[in-house]
Amino acid sequence: MRGLKLIERFKSTQVHALSPPEASTTGGGGGGSTGSKLSNHKRIKFIGLKSNKNTNSVSIAQVLLPYGLPTTDLIEPSIDPHLKPIHYVKALADLYRRLKSCLESDKSLLYMEQYANLCGLGDAKLLRRCLRSARQFAVDVHTKVLLSAWLRFERREDELVDVSSMDDCSGFILECPKAALVSGYDPNSVYDHCKCYEEHTSSIESQSVVQNECLSLEEDRDVTFFIGDQEINFVRDKIAALSNPFKAMLYGDFIESTRNEIDFTEDGISVKAMKAVEVYSRTRRVDVFCPEIVVELLSFANRFCCEEMKSASDAHLASLVGDVEDALILIEYGFEERANLLVASCLQVLLRELPSSLHNPKVIKFFCSSATRERLANVGHASFLLYYFLSQVAMEENIVSDTMVTMLERLEECATERWQRMLAFHQLGCVMLQRKEYKDARYYFEAAAEVGHVYSLAGLARAKYKQGQQYSAYKLMNSLIAEYKTTGWMYQELSLYNLGREKIADLDTATELDPTLSFPYKYRAVAKVEERQIRAAISEIDRIIGFKLSVDCLELRAWFFIAVEDYESALRDILAVLTLEPKYMMSHGRMNGDHLVELLRHQVQQWSPVDCWMQLYDRWSCVDDIGSLAVIHQMLANDPGKSFLRFRQSLLLLRLNCQKAAMRCLRLARNHSHSEHERLVYEGWILYDTGHREEALSRAEKSILIERSFEAFFLKAYILADTSLDSESSSYVIQLLEEALKCPSDGLRKGQALNNLGSIYVDCGKLDLAANCYTNALDIKHTRAHQGLARVFYLKNQRKAAYDEMTKLIEKAHNRASAFEKRSEYCDREMAKNDLNMATQLDPLRTYPYRYRAAESVLSVLMDDQKETEAVDELTKAIAFKPDLQMLHLRAAFYESMGDLNSALQDSEAALCLDPNHMETLDLHSRALDRVTHQ
């Protein structure tokens, strides 16, 4: 009935969500015929808001807002290009079951299916673990080469200066380019160190030995091969041993067996190469010859079935591939001679040079060609995973490029399994939608939906909408909501095709079901701007920025601040945007972010270096991470070579859960380091954050040997503390932190060290020493130390003092969700519930409040006996948008206690898919499985 009421309104002219970029004007910037009207309308609206200001205000507004304020018809959510299972928990559980029951040889591809399903969560560490597991179980050279290159790309090691793509492997077989070229499978060896650092002199000595051997060995040469008028003398037994054809020719029924002279003029081999064959027949070595000769040996070996010579030539040529140009040349010989190892080595160089190699026209032409795919297939090196990797890299570079489309077309050609076809079709649909090729987008989204990817129907609805079929899109989304358990993205998509109050209601429902979706906040905020409620708009967009930082939301808030002439806050947000994405373009790609920064600087007070440090201390002490990012960005603008400032950026970004940007800043810190001991520290943090704990520890120790610095001691202490500490280990970590505090550093870092030291003292039961550390940290404005001090009070049975201490943190901190969560531990049940509700309101991604409320429901069950589902419902609400390990485990436990063993098994299996070594969940799964088996 609701649809029937709306059908007449849907017949009106459609307003497209984005201004066509091709509609550009030659005037002062930006919009075209449609864009100009929108821009002028928005500018007038802005001026109307500021009509009480003087003319100068209007001119400032025109400079800072050349395209006007955003309007609701200019924003829309993107279609997620990753797989999004309609029953996420069920999909994870199914993956875990298949991983446990499949053959070892099938595990690698299954882990990549897991990777594809988990991409939408955006958890970099989880995705890296999937890739590492896939590489661990890889058997063939092709898969090893591909996954080791993929792991390198995920670490973005191409951004590290003075690091060769072929030399760097973090010291482990798992990511070593040389180890990848060795066929076979040993899952236990992948954690061993590789042998990349052989003595250079040994190879020189071995060459010398071989050369001497080649010259010194003299045997009776009883057969001569002629090439033209040149003769090459062989030992008949030696050349006969090269292959069965030669054995038959020289000792069989052929006429050559009775001759001592054989004419090889017409057999297509040069004199030099034939001499090399003679040397090889005696020494079984090819590494003394130049590459051109070895290529001839490879061809000769193919023609005469000399398998050992072919393998030796293949392996030697593979070892010579040094750069992209070498790879592009030698891979052609590999194709021609079906030299699998040579092709693998060439492919490895091209892949390990990503993304830069994709800027090489020759490389693009090579990978995009369908003929190349066929030639790769002929030698066992064309696979879905190859084009999956290439398409992911191309997507990060430019999602609407022709290269992106071609890579995805190759991906679709290689897709054999159901999940592969879903992914290829869905991503092709997303790209076509972005390219405004709506007919093709519809085709691919329909194809993805037909093979089972329900989320692709949202893309299909969007493509229909873009073609003017708004009511058809509305009906499609309504049918989805009726057929499946509703999720936030369903109502978000439905809202695009609805009108008026129903549209806002859909967006509110979307936020209720999935508070992490940014579009509903953005739409409501912009709608308030259109109603001239800009402060209310800022409050609305603040809701999501408070727990999920993104450049689009920060940009939107910056425009709002400009509208109310709060230029300092606008500048802060734009600087934070440029920290996250240094090349970010504002206003749908029409304005350079750095240009807007320069315009805003004229409207705010300029800070000296001393002012910047004071501002940084103030913001750091207020736990204002976005403000701190902005100040550091400004400090770096004045002195871009300060590596320690890049390091501070990375710490703040990790705190804000922006891991990709954090790692980029850490790499920049490493690149700009002025000394070896400093570089080792930053390399240590990079290794630690990418799961290489032992190597990180080694870097810290090497740095300390060079110079005793705060950061080196702090890094070593941090790594060692990241395990269960016994009393001896704790004492050593304390000693390291005390050494760190003796070294020069600023108050911001010393405050962190004091805080960490206090935490270790608490774990050791030394509460007075811990309190002293926290008090000293507070004295130098490390506000987070309030939390540690509160814990000390609580352990001393001073609960009221603990509560008051956390209240101080709440009053000071800009980001307060964790403080409310922690304070809930120090008050009665009703006050705790209020604090946890506030924590959820400020940050819905925090899982503890859901688990606490679920436990509260269990207590009420024990008293009321009729509310078994309340705990499950509380957890289900959060799992719907964040399938978290702890929440899945807890819900599985509730299901087990309720006797719903199938649901308990499904949840525990989904949890184990996220962490297969979680002991409590393994025990729960074993119990539930045993009970099901014996029912």
Side-chain angles (χ1 to χ4, degrees), residues 575 597-598 601 606-613 630-642 645-646:
L575 291 175
V597 167
E598 288 306 310
R601 286 196 196 281
Q606 299 299 302
W607 293 338
S608 68
V610 173
D611 294 331
C612 286
W613 274 108
V631 175
I632 292 177
H633 191 284
Q634 185 161 334
M635 295 166 79
L636 283 167
N638 299 326
D639 191 353
K642 292 287 188 183
L645 290 176
R646 300 282 183 189

Side-chain angles (χ1 to χ4, degrees), residues 237-250:
D237 288 347
K238 298 291 186 183
I239 192 167
L242 291 180
S243 70
N244 288 331
F246 271 120
K247 184 177 181 181
M249 181 176 73
L250 296 172

Side-chain angles (χ1 to χ4, degrees), residues 246-257:
F246 271 120
K247 184 177 181 181
M249 181 176 73
L250 296 172
Y251 288 106
D253 296 331
F254 291 92
I255 192 171
E256 287 85 355
S257 65

Side-chain angles (χ1 to χ4, degrees), residues 450-470:
E450 284 174 7
V451 291
H453 193 235
V454 176
Y455 176 65
S456 292
L457 292 174
L460 177 59
R462 189 77 63 88
K464 287 184 173 185
Y465 171 64
K466 295 293 187 178
Q467 291 181 310
Q469 302 174 32
Q470 187 171 352

Side-chain angles (χ1 to χ4, degrees), residues 631-680:
V631 175
I632 292 177
H633 191 284
Q634 185 161 334
M635 295 166 79
L636 283 167
N638 299 326
D639 191 353
K642 292 287 188 183
S643 58
F644 71 90
L645 290 176
R646 300 282 183 189
F647 179 55
R648 302 298 168 80
Q649 275 185 326
S650 73
L651 297 175
L652 289 164
L653 289 164
L654 282 174
R655 192 183 291 170
L656 290 164
N657 201 29
C658 301
Q659 189 173 25
K660 183 178 178 180
M663 294 305 293
R664 187 191 68 248
C665 291
L666 201 47
R667 289 189 292 272
L668 286 171
R670 182 262 184 203
N671 291 345
H672 285 95
S673 55
H674 299 294
S675 61
E676 186 180 358
H677 78 270
E678 188 181 14
R679 176 181 57 79
L680 287 167

Side-chain angles (χ1 to χ4, degrees), residues 368-393:
C368 288
S369 167
S370 57
T372 295
R373 187 188 70 79
E374 293 173 4
R375 297 172 79 191
L376 284 168
N378 289 336
V379 290
H381 286 289
S383 67
F384 177 85
L385 292 185
L386 170 63
Y387 289 101
Y388 185 18
F389 179 28
L390 290 169
S391 64
Q392 296 311 292
V393 178

